[in-house]
Amino acid sequence: AILASLTLLPRYLIPTIFSHPARKQDFARLLQLLSKLYCETCQDEIVLGNLAHSLRYLMTGDHARVGDAKLEGRGMVQTLKGRLETLWKEAASEEDSNRRKSKRGGGKQDSMKDSSNRQFSIALNLKRLHLLSERWNTITEFMGGDEAMENTCGDIMHSLSMKLKESQINTKVFDDSHENGSDGENVSLLYPRSLSDAVRNGMGFCLCSMAWLLHKTQEDGGLILTDMDVLNQQDDDDDKNEDMEDDDEAVDHVVLRLRNQLVDLTELCFDQFLPDFNHDDQEEGSKPPSEEQKLFSDRVQSHAYRTASDLRTLFPKQWIDADSKLLRNLALMEDGKLIGGSVRYFRSKEGMLREKDVK
């Protein structure tokens, strides 16, 4: 509680003090301390959120140290991005090694533990990036621009998609490979909490980054208009919209590509749904899902439920009637699977919700 309070800097600092020449070194030390706490030390979400907010506070305003603060922020984003790339390379290398050793046997348990530890690191760094993307509208700039952001989001969604496909549970005949010995430990390693956390924060980072890109695109294209703009600049707006009709970028835009990838990932999360296991109808040799599998399925669908709602809010169907070709293309018209998955997940919680309502 003390650390969470101390890291919320705007309660204690006045921006104008940053410009004082005698405080330059103090400001630099403060930036380094906050950066180190964020990227290396802290794991608590509340403390990380306060740190991200405080760093955002230091980057804004007209004081003389804004440039130094932004430089530190860029370094933080690049550091977290580099860690994720390293972890993904290690995971790919381990998978190749495991394929070569698959015929020998042995060492599988240690490999699973190493993979679980790596997954925890991936989830933690994704959480740090996610919290920054929620609070920093400069996240795309710090990442290196639109192309760099698209590549990073693409890598995150590809990695999560592969993990979800590997972890997807056969709803007809459940895997009985954990019958002997340490089946509980193996299942917990296959469905760790860190994997569902990685899904939540990875999808959250991609959603927030895409939202900032969408906002920037709308501003640059003159698509956000006040009532006065509509009255005074109607002719100019018509010209802009006509120009956009011929713009190939409206058909293949970075926001559109990211949205489609995130929709696919959200639908894949909904595919983790587990139907009620009826012992009377079970097939011979099948097993009910473990508690770890049920928790994993529930958490992933919960994240997908929120993401689907945000996607439908960010890209409303009403845009299909917009004058701008870009907005028409961005309108999320094919949302049947998102709605269906959300309804199915909500209905699966109906009994629990009714019990809580009665209590």
Side-chain angles (χ1 to χ4, degrees):
I2 295 176
L3 185 58
S5 177
L6 290 175
T7 52
L8 200 58
L9 293 185
R11 293 172 56 189
Y12 308 108
L13 296 180
I14 301 175
T16 53
I17 197 64
F18 302 151
S19 300
H20 198 284
R23 296 297 180 184
K24 182 176 181 179
Q25 291 185 352
D26 294 336
F27 185 79
R29 283 195 294 267
L30 177 62
L31 279 177
Q32 292 174 3
L33 176 61
L34 295 177
S35 176
K36 184 176 181 180
L37 282 172
Y38 194 91
C39 293
E40 299 180 16
T41 306
C42 293
Q43 299 182 15
D44 181 78
E45 189 161 336
I46 295 177
V47 176
L48 288 172
N50 288 347
L51 286 167
H53 181 76
S54 298
L55 286 160
R56 172 77 175 91
Y57 177 74
L58 298 178
M59 294 177 196
T60 57
D62 55 357
H63 61 86
R65 312 298 173 209
V66 169
D68 296 337
K70 288 187 175 181
L71 188 62
E72 188 70 31
R74 182 187 297 272
M76 290 171 59
V77 172
Q78 292 297 325
T79 295
L80 296 174
K81 174 185 173 183
R83 287 181 188 173
L84 285 172
E85 291 174 347
T86 300
L87 290 167
W88 288 328
K89 288 179 181 178
E90 290 177 356
S93 177
E94 184 181 278
E95 288 178 4
D96 292 339
S97 177
N98 288 339
R99 290 193 192 98
R100 292 194 296 267
K101 296 178 181 178
S102 59
K103 294 183 180 181
R104 305 183 208 171
K108 185 176 181 180
Q109 190 75 8
D110 293 336
S111 176
M112 291 176 66
K113 289 180 178 178
D114 291 341
S115 178
S116 181
N117 292 335
R118 186 180 301 109
Q119 186 60 53
F120 176 82
S121 298
I122 290 174
L124 178 58
N125 285 288
L126 282 175
K127 177 166 69 173
R128 288 167 172 159
L129 273 179
H130 178 202
L131 293 172
L132 292 182
S133 68
E134 286 184 332
R135 292 159 176 82
W136 294 6
N137 59 355
T138 53
I139 188 70
T140 301
E141 175 189 346
F142 291 167
M143 189 64 71
D146 293 2
E147 184 177 354
M149 177 60 77
E150 182 181 10
N151 292 336
T152 299
C153 289
D155 290 341
I156 290 172
M157 288 187 279
H158 174 74
S159 174
L160 294 177
S161 297
M162 296 301 294
K163 280 293 183 181
L164 287 171
K165 290 176 181 178
E166 292 173 7
S167 304
Q168 190 163 356
I169 306 164
N170 189 332
T171 58
K172 296 297 183 181
V173 181
F174 292 99
D175 186 10
D176 60 355
S177 61
H178 309 302
E179 285 183 350
N180 301 319
S182 57
D183 62 319
E185 185 178 1
N186 281 338
V187 173
S188 65
L189 291 174
L190 285 170
Y191 302 97
R193 176 63 183 265
S194 58
L195 179 54
S196 58
D197 286 346
V199 172
R200 174 173 72 93
N201 290 298
M203 294 175 71
F205 169 75
C206 294
L207 182 70
C208 290
S209 301
M210 181 179 61
W212 287 121
L213 283 172
L214 175 62
H215 179 72
K216 178 177 178 295
T217 299
Q218 289 176 307
E219 283 191 331
D220 293 346
L223 302 177
I224 302 178
L225 303 177
T226 64
D227 293 338
M228 188 62 65
D229 292 329
V230 175
L231 293 174
N232 296 338
Q233 300 178 0
Q234 185 172 1
D235 294 338
D236 294 338
D237 294 338
D238 291 339
D239 293 339
K240 287 181 181 178
N241 290 330
E242 289 176 2
D243 292 340
M244 252 194 166
E245 292 290 332
D246 300 327
D247 192 357
D248 294 336
E249 189 180 8
V251 181
D252 186 27
H253 195 274
V254 57
V255 176
L256 182 61
R257 295 193 295 269
L258 288 176
R259 188 207 68 184
N260 291 339
Q261 291 182 65
L262 189 54
V263 168
D264 291 340
L265 179 59
T266 305
E267 292 174 355
L268 188 58
C269 289
F270 281 129
D271 289 341
Q272 303 294 320
F273 174 77
L274 292 177
D276 292 334
F277 188 83
N278 191 330
H279 288 277
D280 297 333
D281 299 333
Q282 72 180 73
E283 299 180 17
E284 183 178 354
S286 64
K287 295 176 59 180
S290 66
E291 288 302 316
E292 288 83 358
Q293 290 169 329
K294 291 178 182 178
L295 285 172
F296 175 78
S297 172
D298 182 69
R299 289 172 184 146
V300 168
Q301 288 182 92
S302 175
H303 307 328
Y305 178 84
R306 292 177 173 84
T307 303
S309 176
D310 290 337
L311 282 169
R312 297 179 65 236
T313 301
L314 273 176
F315 304 98
K317 287 185 177 181
Q318 289 81 356
W319 281 359
I320 197 65
D321 298 320
D323 290 333
S324 166
K325 185 175 182 180
L326 176 60
L327 291 183
R328 292 200 301 272
N329 287 330
L330 288 174
L332 185 57
M333 303 302 294
E334 298 180 0
D335 59 353
K337 291 185 177 180
L338 297 181
I339 296 175
S342 299
V343 170
R344 183 176 61 182
Y345 173 72
F346 185 77
R347 284 179 176 173
S348 70
K349 296 297 177 184
E350 184 177 1
M352 181 187 69
L353 294 172
R354 288 184 182 277
E355 289 178 3
K356 288 185 177 180
D357 187 51
V358 171
K359 293 180 181 179

